[in-house]
Amino acid sequence: MARPTKSNEEKLCKSVAFRLTELDFNIYQKKFMASGLKQSEFFRRHVLTNSTTIAAPSRTAARAVLLLSKVSNNINQLAHRANIDNRSGKLNDIVFQQILSQLTLLNDYVQVMVDEARK
């Protein structure tokens, strides 16, 4: 499925270029790299809104997001396996629905934890 196109008002159609001294560039680079954003997103988010204080995500939070993403992937694999086993008759519909219900709850919880870790 293709991404929805943006309206004319939302299209990024203007390019901004500027030069920095080596020292200024190093400061700028450290800030956008610490933010975890791409340069253009960093500029739009922080310069255009006058939000120049950068709070870098902690290493613990970044690790938590990585691990929670892996857990989410495993949940998806378990749901896929349960679906295959249900279709082949290895699971009855009641057990299958219980498994999917628990996996959905677990996935929702993991998503909340990912969102919290990214804050």
Side-chain angles (χ1 to χ4, degrees), residues 1-5:
M1 174 184 248
R3 249 184 356 188
T5 58

Side-chain angles (χ1 to χ4, degrees), residues 9-117:
E9 296 173 324
E10 295 176 317
K11 285 185 181 178
L12 301 175
C13 58
K14 298 292 182 182
S15 177
V16 176
F18 55 94
R19 295 186 182 275
L20 297 171
T21 65
E22 192 71 34
L23 178 63
D24 287 344
F25 178 75
N26 290 337
I27 293 168
Y28 174 72
Q29 186 177 34
K30 285 179 185 174
K31 287 185 177 186
F32 85 76
M33 290 181 75
S35 73
L37 301 171
K38 293 181 180 177
Q39 288 188 57
S40 57
E41 181 61 26
F42 174 86
F43 181 85
R44 283 191 298 274
R45 183 176 296 178
H46 296 292
V47 175
L48 297 178
T49 63
N50 282 335
S51 168
T52 55
T53 302
I54 308 302
S58 70
R59 293 186 76 175
T60 304
R63 180 78 175 146
V65 169
L66 174 69
L67 293 174
L68 290 167
S69 295
K70 288 183 177 188
V71 168
S72 184
N73 183 50
N74 290 344
I75 291 169
N76 187 49
Q77 290 173 351
L78 290 169
H80 181 72
R81 184 66 209 191
N83 189 41
I84 290 171
D85 288 348
N86 182 54
R87 288 179 181 248
S88 68
K90 294 178 183 175
L91 291 177
N92 64 43
D93 286 336
I94 294 171
V95 172
F96 176 66
Q97 289 304 322
Q98 290 172 339
I99 290 171
L100 288 185
S101 175
Q102 291 300 310
L103 290 175
T104 299
L105 289 172
L106 185 57
N107 194 58
D108 291 346
Y109 179 73
V110 167
Q111 186 59 51
V112 168
M113 297 305 294
V114 167
D115 293 343
E116 286 296 316

